[in-house]
Amino acid sequence: MKNLKYTQIILAVATVLLISSCENFIDLQPLDQISMDDYWKTSTDLENYMLQFYPTLPSSIIVDADMNSDNMLTSSPNTILNGERTLRTGNWKNEWSNLRNVNIFLENYGKCESEFDEYKHFLGEAYFFRAWYYFDLLQKYGDLPWYSKALQLDDEDELMKPREPRTLIADSILVDLDKALLYLNTREEAGNNRINKEASLALKTRVALYEGTWQKYHANTPFGTSGANPDKYFQACVDAAEELMDGSYSVGVYNTGKPSEDYYKMFGFDNMSDVNEVLFYKAYNADEGMSNSSQYRLVKSPTGSSATMELISSYLGKNGEPYDYIEHSKTNKGNDFLTKIAEDCDPRLKSSIWIPGDVMASVSDNIVFSMPNVNGGALELVVTGFQIKKSSNPESPAAGKMSEGRSETGHIYFRYGEVLLNYAEAKYELDNTIAYAQLNLLRERAGMPDFAVNPKESDYSPVDYGYSVSDELYEIRRERRVELALEGFREMDFMRWAAHSLFKGKRLKGYPFNSEEFPDFYPTLDENGLIDYLSTQLPNGYQFRESQDYLYSIPQDEITLNPNLEQNPGW
């Protein structure tokens, strides 16, 4: 019933927000409305107010999560990778509305007459949400005005503020997360479908790693900040991760001792409340109108979305060494290739893409994966041959069902595995230390050998970042790509690494096509026999504009209204 409760409360809170927007202009309130001063009396009032923000959190499903990156291909060129975004018109007021509403809470919670211990958790939620919303804007726009109070129409000085350096915004986000940590309950106390201390620490590692690497790899470009100290952020990431790892928190890597199942199953659960790795997730309840299309899309309707050979070739062999995918593609094509790499490579590979013989649904329908629909229609199409499996659950009643909105698969916002990877990357960036213990927790779960550094020169499909990285960092980044594959991190990663060379001037490829499996279908193939789906649409590869595409443009109306807002580079 919790989701239904959220819906009812949001309607009630909307009345309060309407009053907040209008009370400067209306002296006499209707008798049936709650005044702003009357609303904030009890801890229940504060809790109900904060519940409105939970539905604003993203809820994309894995089959679409990595589409703005080199991990995934769809039936048309990605506008971000291909530099097709245009100057934004209009305004950005909707992007700031949630921040304003959080600030309304922070300005009014002190009116509560309940004991502080009764509502301090909701105060922690407010600081978390402000950090969350500002981090979203930071990734999108870079420099921003910082607002710690709810703006009114007559706040001319505040409304005309220039943008603050992005480092000030990042610092302020980290301060908000520290405040959240003072007040939030732990995962054990609050549950993991409510914001908690562990989630706040996880977000802190994410923000700090993002800003540290952004400032390091965008240094001396228009996107960097003069005088920025990347190590400060790497240290903040390390400190937050170590607190989570070393403190008395309910965290761990989900591992039941079944390496062929554990990684795969974790993402497909409906109820993730008992999964110690899941720090914070969104729960669904179809009977209350809260559901998603995950199990339908993964089984029957990929709509073109599929993994790329660039992602697949990042997986090591089961021996922990680079695997020569191209060499094996010469003698194994189509289904044979999929079966071969599933047998030979990191088990996380076959947990992420469908392999012939996999059971896709087993409750009311018995559906077994036979081959990818590389020649399918718009809904069934798998453009690369690597059909996404990650987060599927054959035992779900919604698996493969046409009533696509009945899936209740949980949506993970933070998991401990990400924190370990954030820590490993930040620790190496900070002092060249390899976090073997943390990385091996992930390797052990997958049934892989302990983490080891392979020389870059031994990689049969070398990754080009556009600049030199050490063998150690190269391998740490590989582990991150594999463990977090298709979860929506890859765009964030290439942006902060300034790594457009991963795909600029190139096309993302598919699997080695077997014409005997599709006798009347003739896709374009590259020199290695790999499907080259976008060869006609991208004759010269992706055309990412590195002088501007690392940030969005500020909407033009905002610059017209406030000339103190300078436009982003290149726009």
Side-chain angles (χ1 to χ4, degrees):
M1 295 295 291
K2 186 173 289 186
N3 291 321
L4 182 59
K5 178 185 177 185
Y6 286 0
T7 303
Q8 294 169 336
I9 289 170
I10 289 168
L11 295 175
V13 169
T15 303
V16 178
L17 297 177
L18 180 62
I19 294 169
S20 171
S21 299
C22 301
E23 64 181 359
N24 284 347
F25 308 98
I26 302 176
D27 294 329
L28 297 177
Q29 297 293 335
L31 294 178
D32 61 347
Q33 285 190 351
I34 308 169
S35 75
M36 281 290 289
D37 287 337
D38 290 339
Y39 179 77
W40 311 94
K41 297 301 184 183
T42 70
S43 61
T44 301
D45 292 338
L46 301 191
E47 179 180 19
N48 289 346
Y49 188 91
M50 289 312 302
L51 287 177
Q52 69 172 302
F53 299 109
Y54 280 85
T56 70
L57 296 171
S59 56
S60 62
I61 57 179
I62 279 184
V63 72
D64 296 323
D66 256 354
M67 64 170 48
N68 293 335
S69 78
D70 57 340
N71 279 355
M72 187 179 289
L73 195 65
T74 61
S75 57
S76 58
N78 181 271
T79 57
I80 294 177
L81 303 189
N82 202 35
E84 295 177 4
R85 285 175 293 175
T86 59
L87 183 67
R88 300 180 66 206
T89 56
N91 59 62
W92 60 6
K93 66 179 182 180
N94 289 338
E95 298 175 77
W96 291 86
S97 60
N98 288 321
L99 274 167
R100 182 179 187 276
N101 293 339
V102 172
N103 281 335
I104 288 173
F105 177 96
L106 292 171
E107 290 178 350
N108 287 280
Y109 78 88
K111 299 173 184 176
C112 184
E113 297 172 359
S114 302
E115 293 294 324
F116 182 65
D117 281 349
E118 293 181 30
Y119 66 81
K120 66 178 183 179
H121 177 80
F122 315 130
L123 177 58
E125 287 180 318
Y127 283 117
F128 179 97
F129 273 115
R130 188 164 70 180
W132 176 280
Y133 295 134
Y134 254 114
F135 183 47
D136 184 59
L137 291 173
L138 176 72
Q139 293 173 78
K140 195 170 185 178
Y141 297 115
D143 298 349
L144 293 163
W146 177 266
Y147 296 115
S148 57
K149 69 175 187 177
L151 296 186
Q152 305 299 332
L153 292 177
D154 57 355
D155 290 338
E156 185 172 350
D157 289 344
E158 290 292 302
L159 290 168
M160 299 300 289
K161 282 176 65 171
R163 300 162 69 189
E164 303 283 1
R166 60 177 296 138
T167 47
L168 184 148
I169 304 301
D171 292 345
S172 300
I173 292 171
L174 296 177
V175 168
D176 269 358
L177 290 172
D178 285 337
K179 291 178 181 177
L181 288 167
L182 292 174
Y183 306 121
L184 286 170
N185 292 329
T186 64
R187 178 189 185 278
E188 185 175 1
E189 296 165 327
N192 63 350
N193 64 353
R194 186 111 191 197
I195 290 166
N196 51 62
K197 284 184 184 292
E198 289 91 333
S200 191
L201 284 167
L203 179 55
K204 189 174 181 182
T205 69
R206 187 184 293 179
V207 172
L209 178 63
Y210 189 93
E211 193 60 22
T213 47
W214 181 281
Q215 295 298 344
K216 177 175 180 176
Y217 294 103
H218 287 281
N220 302 314
T221 76
F223 299 104
T225 303
S226 177
N229 178 11
D231 284 353
K232 178 179 76 170
Y233 298 105
F234 295 141
Q235 187 66 62
C237 177
V238 167
D239 290 345
E242 288 182 344
E243 180 178 346
L244 189 57
M245 292 187 293
D246 301 334
S248 54
Y249 294 104
S250 302
V251 298
V253 170
Y254 177 70
N255 187 349
T256 70
K258 298 177 181 178
S260 64
E261 298 180 6
D262 288 339
Y263 178 80
Y264 169 63
K265 284 191 171 182
M266 178 177 64
F267 300 98
F269 289 130
D270 291 355
N271 183 351
M272 299 179 172
S273 60
D274 294 329
V275 181
N276 60 344
E277 183 166 346
V278 178
L279 308 181
F280 177 43
Y281 83 106
K282 181 174 183 175
Y284 291 88
N285 188 318
D287 291 338
E288 295 179 0
M290 301 290 289
S291 59
N292 59 61
S293 61
S294 179
Q295 298 304 324
Y296 172 66
R297 292 281 311 281
L298 289 162
V299 174
K300 286 191 174 179
S301 186
T303 62
S305 298
S306 43
T308 63
M309 177 60 94
E310 286 71 17
L311 168 61
I312 299 304
S313 61
S314 293
Y315 290 81
L316 297 170
K318 284 183 177 178
N319 60 1
E321 298 175 0
Y323 185 83
D324 194 343
Y325 288 84
I326 297 301
E327 183 63 28
H328 285 288
S329 74
K330 295 177 182 178
T331 53
N332 298 277
K333 298 186 181 298
N335 275 6
D336 289 343
F337 181 78
L338 295 174
T339 301
K340 177 68 174 172
I341 62 176
E343 292 173 349
D344 292 353
C345 298
D346 187 329
R348 288 173 290 189
L349 174 55
K350 67 178 181 181
S351 297
S352 300
I353 62 168
W354 290 110
I355 305 300
D358 281 347
V359 176
M360 306 178 85
S362 61
V363 178
S364 56
D365 297 324
N366 185 33
I367 303 175
V368 177
F369 183 74
S370 57
M371 64 177 62
N373 286 312
V374 295
N375 63 338
L379 295 180
E380 300 82 16
L381 180 62
V382 182
V383 297
T384 67
F386 299 118
Q387 185 169 340
I388 295 168
K389 172 184 179 181
K390 192 173 185 178
S391 79
S392 65
N393 181 356
E395 299 175 1
S396 168
K401 294 297 184 182
M402 289 296 289
S403 53
E404 57 182 281
R406 298 292 293 178
S407 174
E408 296 177 340
T409 307
H411 177 88
I412 300 174
Y413 295 119
F414 295 99
R415 66 181 179 97
Y416 189 54
E418 181 209 343
V419 175
L420 297 178
L421 291 162
N422 293 347
Y423 174 76
E425 185 178 343
K427 187 66 175 168
Y428 185 81
E429 290 281 15
L430 185 65
D431 59 19
N432 294 330
T433 297
I434 299 177
Y436 285 108
Q438 289 73 26
L439 293 170
N440 285 338
L441 289 173
L442 303 175
R443 287 289 187 94
E444 179 186 357
R445 188 247 303 277
M448 285 288 287
D450 284 350
F451 181 87
V453 177
N454 295 297
K456 294 193 300 291
E457 293 74 17
S458 68
D459 200 338
Y460 296 101
S461 303
V463 175
D464 176 17
Y465 292 108
Y467 48 83
S468 177
V469 298
S470 67
D471 290 346
E472 292 82 1
L473 185 57
Y474 186 93
E475 205 63 42
I476 289 170
R477 288 185 178 184
R478 183 210 299 274
E479 190 68 20
R480 179 181 183 86
R481 185 180 196 180
V482 166
E483 174 68 24
L484 300 179
L486 307 171
E487 295 178 44
F489 290 96
R490 187 64 174 177
E491 178 188 8
M492 186 185 302
D493 288 346
F494 89 72
M495 288 288 190
R496 64 187 177 87
W497 291 335
H500 59 272
S501 292
L502 290 168
F503 52 83
K504 182 170 182 179
K506 305 169 187 175
R507 290 190 298 274
L508 305 174
K509 305 296 177 61
Y511 78 164
F513 180 71
N514 185 348
S515 59
E516 293 180 1
E517 295 173 346
F518 302 91
D520 298 318
F521 181 58
Y522 307 97
T524 301
L525 307 179
D526 74 358
E527 65 277 10
N528 293 309
L530 306 181
I531 291 180
D532 191 357
Y533 190 84
L534 296 180
S535 61
T536 301
Q537 299 179 67
L538 294 176
N540 299 311
Y542 288 104
Q543 297 299 304
F544 186 88
R545 301 162 298 187
E546 61 268 30
S547 62
Q548 68 184 97
D549 282 328
Y550 280 111
L551 294 173
Y552 280 76
S553 62
I554 304 295
Q556 194 59 43
D557 285 1
E558 295 297 336
I559 292 179
T560 301
L561 291 170
N562 179 7
N564 293 320
L565 293 175
E566 296 183 7
Q567 186 55 274
N568 271 328
W571 293 100

